[in-house]
Amino acid sequence: SAVISQKPSRDICQRGTSLTIQCQVDSQVTMMFWYRQQPGQSLTLIATANQGSEATYESGFVIDKFPISRPNLTFSTLTVSNMSPEDSSIYLCSVAGKETQYFGPGTRLLVL
Amino acid sequence: GENVEQHPSTLSVQEGDSAVIKCTYSDSASNYFPWYKQELGKRPQLIIDIRSNVGEKKDQRIAVTLNKTAKHFSLHITETQPEDSAVYFCAAHDSGGGADGLTFGKGTHLIIQP
């Protein structure tokens, strides 16, 4: 399976600010995804990061709030914009391998 | 879009007994059903998966069954051990529109009692 890393691993931010999360994969992958996991909850898909085109967002998530970049087949960023305490979550990137999806270690975000 | 229901939310079993977690899905076009195990503070780890052309799959103490007609699938863990304690998530591949990722159930907190 691919080795996935994320930066930062955790952060504490003030409301109204923005944070960009990076996801790096050790091999080229076609499909990359961003998920959110709120405290004690399940995982919710935010969007698919498409290389060379705009991300595809799930219902309830918009580009202005969660802009995504995918400059190449090994890297993606997710920005959480104009943060509020409700954005406090773990954000995980995921890649689709030959058979399934694998997850990065996650970024634990706390918004004060 | 896809909707996945998972039961129970919490399951406590004696060490050595079996545990069964059940999920139902809504989108008959879904064709891929993975199960993830998440330990506290860690990322979800794939433990087993099944595709719609197969009715059952087994890997040592873990098995998954799929009933496409009824649109439900189940995780079976036999001879449970303390290290099986974790949160388990089922998921279905949303083959429809949108982002084409996985839709997850709400999770089952499995507690293995010594």
Side-chain angles (χ1 to χ4, degrees), chain B residues 96-108:
Chain B
D100 203 37
L102 293 171
T103 301
F104 283 83
K106 292 190 182 300
T108 296

Side-chain angles (χ1 to χ4, degrees), chain B residues 1-92:
Chain B
E2 178 65 274
N3 182 51
V4 177
E5 299 283 340
Q6 183 172 347
H7 299 280
S9 57
T10 303
L11 178 60
S12 180
V13 301
Q14 290 294 124
E15 182 178 351
D17 289 349
S18 296
V20 180
I21 302 170
K22 299 181 179 181
C23 290
T24 61
Y25 61 99
S26 61
D27 186 353
S28 56
S30 289
N31 57 7
Y32 175 65
F33 308 93
W35 285 87
Y36 288 86
K37 175 183 180 182
Q38 188 175 33
E39 296 174 329
L40 189 63
K42 297 189 176 180
R43 75 186 80 185
Q45 296 276 9
L46 177 75
I47 55 171
I48 197 167
D49 56 12
I50 193 167
R51 297 190 180 273
S52 58
N53 59 346
V54 175
E56 183 174 358
K57 183 177 178 181
K58 190 173 181 180
D59 182 4
Q60 299 183 338
R61 296 187 298 108
I62 296 173
V64 57
T65 58
L66 171 65
N67 183 327
K68 278 212 72 178
T69 303
K71 290 191 282 188
H72 65 70
F73 56 112
S74 300
L75 177 72
H76 304 252
I77 306 174
T78 59
E79 300 172 19
T80 52
Q81 300 169 3
E83 53 265 35
D84 295 328
S85 294
V87 179
Y88 291 79
F89 294 99
C90 63

